[in-house]
Amino acid sequence: MAGLYLHVPFCARKCAYCDFASRPLADFPSLGTTVARFFQALEKELAALPPDFAPDTLYIGGGTPTALDAAQLGALLALVRRRVYCNGVREWTVEANPGTLDAAKAAALRRAGVNRVSLGVQSLDNAALARLGRLHTAAEARAGFDLLRAAGFDNISLDLMYALPGETTAQVLADLRGLLAWQPEHLSTYALALEPGTPLAAQHARGEFAEVPDEEQAEQYFAIRRELLAAGYEHYELSNFAQPGRVCRHNLNYWRGGDYHACGPAAHAHSGGQRTANVEKLEDYCRRSERGESPCAFEETLAPEAKARETLIIGLRLLKGVDLAAFQRQTGLDALALGGAALEQLVAQGLLAVDHERLRLTARALFISDRVFAELV
Ligand code: SF4
């Protein structure tokens, strides 16, 4: 498996909690020129991929790719098809946000061969959406979902945030049940994180709201898990649930320690044991490309043991855990020996378990996985 990630650094506007590498369209007075420069740089970077590279999965994220207008989005999809061998692509995901989708964009995605859309709904509570600085209401989110279905998408993932300011478990479940009524193929759920430098973190620092306490966050996480398991979804990764056969293949490759290339500003790649990251700022990315320079700002080749450790920790994000024999084949190392005394202790504490030749987190450890991973670093 090999994947390709493309980063589109534009959003219609910036959400109050977001520290991702994206900027609102209003930041670019000559947007048409900026987008054209970005596309030229992206096309150059795609053209420089290894000549034999043929991805199994494609993922265009951001940012909000659908913040581009229909003509720009069509041009982006055309340039991807021009520069990437798409015939072998089994899964092509594009991220979209309600309020930035229309029938023309949904049709353009479908025509180009996109077969999966990840829609950022986040909540069905209009007051919560407004507080998060989201562009859309719950009704507009539903309208976006319906547009995608009408365009022929039969593989749609929805994002749901929990632990929102003042939110109770009953409210989280009401949101979740609302989304389940839409019958999405996949759901990703994330607790709100207060990222330094964001407007929401500043509001919190001013005492305008309190964070949902950890115990309640855990309660919400497990309530979501129970509800989705009961509805027939597989809990396959810490934050991800899928109907049978609808796991995200692109991310699965990442969690299995597979290779992936990545293009665009702030894009991170991992291939052949080497990790790379591009410059973050769109201006720097375009300027470097125009000067004939590489957009890569960081490069690291991990030593085999460090790489194996990383593969182990990322693999433990999967609920099925790490296949010990496959791990040995992939890394040349024994996972249990690599984890050593720390791993033995985590097993004794009931946070890790070894069964059926796999090492996995126990249900108890799912919400405190960061603590477990910290022990294994
Ligand atoms: S739409 Fe997504 S990437 Fe854009 S600002 Fe909001 S959270 Fe960030």
Side-chain angles (χ1 to χ4, degrees):
M1 280 282 291
L4 175 63
Y5 173 79
L6 305 182
H7 189 78
V8 175
F10 306 106
C11 279
R13 77 168 186 226
K14 201 75 186 163
C15 300
Y17 56 92
C18 178
D19 74 342
F20 298 152
S22 73
R23 281 169 59 196
L25 295 175
D27 269 13
F28 304 98
S30 1
L31 183 64
T33 312
T34 304
V35 171
R37 285 180 71 203
F38 168 55
F39 284 178
Q40 271 169 19
L42 191 62
E43 186 152 16
K44 256 197 207 176
E45 201 185 1
L46 287 172
L49 288 171
D52 58 347
F53 177 63
D56 301 289
T57 61
L58 257 171
Y59 195 110
I60 305 184
T64 306
T66 50
L68 298 168
D69 68 29
Q72 291 165 339
L73 185 63
L76 172 66
L77 296 165
L79 94 76
V80 171
R81 291 199 63 93
R82 202 160 53 240
R83 288 298 180 187
V84 180
Y85 177 75
C86 285
N87 292 359
V89 172
R90 294 169 71 192
E91 179 190 273
W92 183 352
T93 304
V94 170
E95 288 181 349
N97 274 302
T100 65
L101 263 176
D102 58 27
K105 293 185 197 180
L109 293 172
R110 201 72 199 118
R111 260 198 318 275
V114 175
N115 56 14
R116 184 173 183 275
V117 175
S118 173
L119 188 66
V121 176
Q122 315 306 354
S123 171
L124 292 180
D125 177 331
N126 286 338
L129 287 168
R131 167 154 239 165
L132 293 172
R134 298 289 299 175
L135 191 65
H136 57 90
T137 61
E140 285 160 347
R142 177 64 207 237
F145 181 83
D146 290 343
L147 271 173
L148 293 170
R149 281 284 193 245
F153 285 99
D154 66 357
N155 196 3
I156 302 177
S157 179
L158 303 178
D159 283 352
L160 170 70
M161 291 179 87
Y162 64 97
L164 302 180
E167 194 175 39
T168 62
T169 302
Q171 287 168 321
V172 173
L173 286 177
D175 264 7
L176 179 61
R177 287 173 187 148
L179 293 184
L180 282 177
W182 305 5
Q183 299 183 305
E185 283 69 33
H186 188 281
L187 273 139
S188 299
T189 64
Y190 302 100
L192 173 68
L194 294 176
E195 302 296 348
T198 60
L200 211 62
Q203 288 172 28
H204 177 258
R206 291 195 296 269
E208 291 175 23
F209 69 89
E211 266 188 283
V212 174
D214 278 356
E215 316 77 68
E216 277 176 51
Q217 292 200 22
E219 181 185 305
Q220 295 182 7
Y221 177 84
F222 285 109
I224 290 170
R225 171 175 149 86
R226 273 194 304 279
E227 188 79 12
L228 284 168
L229 291 177
Y233 287 77
E234 180 193 359
H235 188 187
Y236 73 102
E237 192 271 346
L238 289 171
S239 306
N240 287 282
F241 300 81
Q243 285 186 358
R246 300 302 197 151
V247 300
C248 176
R249 292 169 189 273
H250 181 84
N251 288 338
L252 200 59
N253 176 49
Y254 164 72
W255 292 313
R256 285 180 176 158
D259 283 357
Y260 54 94
H261 287 278
C263 300
H268 287 58
H270 171 258
S271 179
Q274 194 182 48
R275 269 204 308 235
T276 54
N278 280 350
V279 284
E280 285 223 352
K281 282 194 179 154
L282 176 62
E283 286 80 358
D284 295 340
Y285 177 77
C286 293
R287 211 172 298 127
R288 281 197 182 205
S289 174
E290 286 154 7
R291 288 185 190 144
E293 297 167 5
S294 161
C296 182
F298 169 85
E299 211 175 286
E300 177 184 40
T301 304
L302 288 176
E305 187 183 318
K307 169 69 188 136
R309 223 170 260 286
E310 186 183 89
T311 304
L312 179 66
I313 290 170
I314 294 174
L316 284 172
R317 296 189 62 88
L318 293 168
L319 276 272
K320 280 188 183 157
V322 172
D323 178 323
L324 296 173
F327 182 86
Q328 174 111 38
R329 281 196 301 278
Q330 187 178 352
T331 66
L333 294 171
D334 179 276
L336 302 182
L338 186 66
L343 189 149
E344 273 175 33
Q345 205 164 357
L346 289 164
V347 171
Q349 289 168 357
L351 297 173
L352 285 177
V354 184
D355 50 22
H356 298 97
E357 299 302 310
R358 301 187 82 96
L359 176 70
R360 60 169 178 80
L361 292 173
T362 61
R364 254 184 71 201
L366 296 179
F367 190 73
I368 50 168
S369 55
D370 284 351
R371 214 185 91 196
V372 174
F373 299 155
E375 298 288 325
L376 294 173
V377 171

